[in-house]
Amino acid sequence: MTEFRRAERRDDRELLELINMVQPHVPWSEEHYRWQFRGSPAGPARLYVAEEDGRLVSLYAAVAHRVRVDGVLRTGLMIQDVMTHPDHRGKGHL
């Protein structure tokens, strides 16, 4: 059974492994992961995961960005870094 939930900091290492497995041509370091998802000046990303049998199999990331709307600086979220482990694709996780 698949569980969908908000990612927690305890998931960071496994998420980094998933990212590097899905896109080995663009490897991420722990530093890049922290910068992208946890340490942005605009605020932390909202990370959502699909978990099957105790393993994270999908990631859906909404990354915080500062944007100006009608002259007002606001925080917005941009969906990026969406991925699913190849063995779990086609199941409707995303």
Side-chain angles (χ1 to χ4, degrees), residues 34-45 63-67 73-76:
R34 283 191 305 273
W35 168 81
Q36 180 82 355
F37 293 151
R38 302 295 186 193
S40 167
V63 177
H65 293 274
R66 298 294 287 167
V67 296
L73 194 59
R74 300 178 185 265
T75 299

Side-chain angles (χ1 to χ4, degrees), residues 15-35:
L15 283 174
L16 180 59
E17 290 172 4
L18 176 65
I19 290 165
N20 285 327
M21 191 278 306
V22 170
Q23 58 181 36
H25 56 289
V26 186
W28 283 21
S29 65
E30 287 182 33
E31 179 181 39
H32 181 87
Y33 179 92
R34 283 191 305 273
W35 168 81

Side-chain angles (χ1 to χ4, degrees), residues 1-69:
M1 182 168 173
T2 304
E3 176 187 351
F4 299 94
R5 62 177 175 80
R6 185 107 179 242
E8 301 174 11
R9 285 198 181 265
R10 67 181 169 86
D11 299 315
D12 286 353
R13 180 162 304 284
E14 192 173 356
L15 283 174
L16 180 59
E17 290 172 4
L18 176 65
I19 290 165
N20 285 327
M21 191 278 306
V22 170
Q23 58 181 36
H25 56 289
V26 186
W28 283 21
S29 65
E30 287 182 33
E31 179 181 39
H32 181 87
Y33 179 92
R34 283 191 305 273
W35 168 81
Q36 180 82 355
F37 293 151
R38 302 295 186 193
S40 167
R46 293 186 187 162
L47 305 176
Y48 302 91
V49 296
E51 183 175 19
E52 285 187 9
D53 300 321
R55 297 207 41 140
L56 300 183
V57 297
S58 290
L59 166 65
Y60 185 88
V63 177
H65 293 274
R66 298 294 287 167
V67 296
R68 191 168 304 278
V69 179

